[in-house]
Amino acid sequence: MQLTDLTAGRLLDGYRKGEFSPVEVTEQALERARRSQPEVNAFVRLTEEDALARARESAARWRRGEPAGLVDGVPVTVKDILLLRGHPTLRGSTTLSEQGDWAEDAPPVARLREHGAVFLGKTTTPEYGWKGVTDSPLTGITRNPYDLTRTAGGSSGGSAAAVALGAGPLSLGTDGGGSIRIPAAFCGIFGLKPTYGRVPLYPASAFGTLSHTGPMTRDAADAALLLDVIGRPDARDWSALPAAPGSFTEALRDGVRGLRVAYSASLGGQVAVQPAVAAAVRRAVARLADLGAYVEETDPDFSDPVEAFHALWFSGAARLTQSFSPHRRRLLDPGLREICARGARMSALEYLAAVDVRMQLGRRMGRFHERYDLLVTPTLPVTAFEAGLEVPRGSAHRRWTGWTPFTYPFNLTQQPAASVPVGLDGEGLPVGMQLVAARHRDDLVLRAAHALYEAGVPLSGCVTPAGS
């Protein structure tokens, strides 16, 4: 049995029954990470010694029949934007130093530690998580396990690749404009951007309330389990929500029968979608109807809010680097340096005008969800393109937002949104479908995704890097 192919839920069942131990699982996951690292480059660092020590402690607890929590002994990876106690968090940048005591965990990491998780290592990110692909001055290019010439997506590309490879079934990602959903779609895994505040964030993101933290997993059931662990308040985040009233795992059983689903193939003709992507998403939507959902093909009433998103995003980047010396600024990714310069030129009135657009969009989507429980779109209009590029070769767009028009609107509105893998295109690359619900209805997104997994629609299993 390849333990690296198992979901977190199946691992926990095996621990409970004594079929295998957290030590065996951790050793296999570390071996998978080490073996794939030269080709895929999903990791900034592996924390092998700490991981094995925590795995041994977990094994002893399981032998006593006293697991510490909901994910005791499950291997987890952490995007290198989030603090992991005892290890540097360098955010893909050569502008930060490894020196320091690194004495704190980020809130979701702290919750996972309390529940006995085994931390395998830190995963790659573009510098400060600024773009939708994963390459950085610190770690270079992270590649797609399905095709090593293609991007893994970003900015949580290392986490997506790690989960796809079997280097731990659970990972923590961050999402300010699609950064969980983009790499989830490109790498054929499940990724959830929860309602803003559902998972506390500390330190606060420079991108403000656009930025969410969430699960990246093998399937929706694992994501629900992980959200049950990490979706708890933390005093360090003043904007965190209270604990959810019930278990996201328990809500999975409710399925999709009777849910009102709006299917928007192209946001009212605003987005040109590759035919293979459109076909895979349409098949999955038809499966939701077969499972008892009421599906209507319709579009939400909004135009592309990209300029408002850019105003907020670029301003955040400028604020992040405001105190940098000229030397330190020269070390930045050139694209990041460029958007920082643009953000620094924006006025307060331009920023507030973008906030107005955001509020109007939130109102429109609030009204939309009075009629529909879920909105379904492609996650992306394309599949994974050439690694090392911010935009596909030949694109008319300069910035990554040009090929991610389905994702960033729902960071502006703070709604829960997930990417579900629903097939492969003609080149064998994964296709993602996006599920969006009203704020605070993360349960609906997870229920619908789980129903698709139960029906056998999404991709499943781990990938051996192409070319290995």
Side-chain angles (χ1 to χ4, degrees):
M1 179 191 302
Q2 283 294 312
L3 300 178
T4 51
D5 291 336
L6 301 182
T7 64
R10 179 65 184 88
L11 290 177
L12 291 164
D13 187 55
Y15 297 161
R16 196 174 296 111
K17 294 175 179 176
E19 296 174 346
F20 41 77
S21 81
V23 175
E24 295 173 82
V25 170
T26 299
E27 287 174 342
Q28 286 196 22
L30 286 169
E31 171 58 24
R32 184 68 64 93
R34 283 192 297 267
R35 184 154 30 96
S36 63
Q37 179 63 12
E39 297 172 306
V40 177
N41 188 31
F43 287 90
V44 179
R45 67 182 54 80
L46 292 172
T47 54
E48 298 187 45
E49 187 175 322
D50 287 356
L52 289 169
R54 287 186 64 80
R56 288 189 288 269
E57 292 167 359
S58 174
R61 290 192 294 269
W62 280 106
R63 284 194 298 270
R64 296 195 304 268
E66 299 174 352
L70 294 178
V71 292
D72 198 346
V74 177
V76 178
T77 56
V78 179
K79 182 180 181 181
D80 200 37
I81 292 288
L82 300 168
L83 298 175
L84 175 64
R85 192 174 76 207
H87 302 281
T89 298
L90 300 181
R91 298 173 172 86
S93 185
T94 58
T95 68
L96 297 175
S97 170
E98 292 192 9
Q99 300 305 310
D101 57 9
W102 303 105
E104 274 192 293
D105 284 326
V109 175
R111 301 294 84 75
L112 281 164
R113 193 181 296 279
E114 292 163 3
H115 281 258
V118 172
F119 299 108
L120 295 183
K122 302 298 290 292
T123 57
T124 53
T125 175
E127 194 164 27
Y128 296 105
W130 81 271
K131 60 183 174 180
V133 294
T134 299
D135 57 73
S136 77
L138 182 68
T139 58
I141 297 171
T142 297
R143 299 179 180 274
N144 193 307
Y146 281 82
D147 182 339
L148 296 172
T149 69
R150 311 294 181 108
T151 179
S155 63
S156 305
S159 286
V163 172
L165 290 163
L170 305 179
S171 193
L172 293 176
T174 65
D175 189 316
S179 289
I180 285 173
R181 290 158 290 156
I182 293 166
F186 278 178
C187 292
I189 70 161
F190 182 79
L192 171 67
K193 176 187 77 68
T195 299
Y196 178 80
R198 172 54 52 215
V199 179
L201 183 60
Y202 169 85
S205 171
F207 302 109
T209 58
L210 294 172
S211 189
H212 304 55
T213 302
M216 303 183 73
T217 59
R218 198 76 47 74
D219 63 15
D222 273 7
L225 171 67
L226 184 49
L227 194 56
D228 279 336
V229 172
I230 64 177
R232 314 295 297 180
D234 189 291
R236 293 172 291 174
D237 182 354
W238 63 269
S239 64
L241 295 173
S247 163
F248 292 106
T249 299
E250 291 177 4
L252 295 177
R253 66 185 69 153
D254 294 336
V256 298
R257 184 165 298 280
L259 291 185
R260 302 161 300 167
V261 175
Y263 167 46
S264 178
S266 61
L267 296 180
Q270 296 182 79
V271 185
V273 179
Q274 288 179 351
V277 172
V281 172
R282 187 173 289 277
R283 287 193 296 270
V285 170
R287 195 71 185 100
L288 286 174
D290 293 341
L291 294 169
Y294 300 112
V295 176
E296 178 182 344
E297 192 158 351
T298 189
D299 302 301
D301 178 24
F302 66 80
S303 56
D304 188 354
V306 68
E307 293 307 322
F309 179 80
H310 281 168
L312 301 173
W313 195 253
F314 297 171
S315 297
R319 175 61 179 156
L320 174 70
T321 59
Q322 185 178 24
S323 64
F324 282 21
S325 67
H327 168 72
R328 198 176 174 202
R329 195 174 295 274
R330 283 193 295 272
L331 297 175
L332 292 172
D333 179 326
L336 175 57
R337 193 164 60 239
E338 182 179 314
I339 71 162
C340 289
R342 286 185 60 184
R345 293 193 297 269
M346 288 180 176
S347 70
L349 289 178
E350 288 175 294
Y351 185 93
L352 291 172
V355 172
D356 286 343
V357 171
R358 184 180 193 179
M359 290 190 292
Q360 290 173 2
L361 180 59
R363 176 182 59 81
R364 287 176 183 271
M365 288 309 300
R367 296 299 297 271
F368 183 83
H369 284 290
E370 290 180 331
R371 300 191 303 278
Y372 301 102
D373 298 300
L374 290 169
L375 169 65
V376 176
T377 73
T379 306
L380 298 165
V382 298
T383 51
F385 52 86
E386 185 179 345
L389 302 178
E390 184 183 341
V391 300
R393 196 174 294 278
S395 171
H397 301 282
R398 180 170 174 77
R399 296 273 76 99
W400 61 272
T401 44
W403 52 268
T404 61
F406 292 110
T407 60
Y408 56 76
F410 305 109
N411 292 81
L412 290 166
T413 61
Q414 303 187 336
Q415 294 171 248
S419 182
V420 185
V422 292
L424 301 173
D425 71 1
E427 298 181 272
L429 297 169
V431 173
M433 181 176 81
Q434 181 173 233
L435 299 167
V436 184
R439 291 176 74 244
H440 312 297
R441 293 312 308 266
D442 307 71
D443 60 310
L444 293 180
V445 171
L446 288 164
R447 278 169 50 186
H450 182 64
L452 289 171
Y453 276 99
E454 291 282 283
V457 172
L459 302 172
S460 60
C462 298
V463 184
T464 300
S468 294

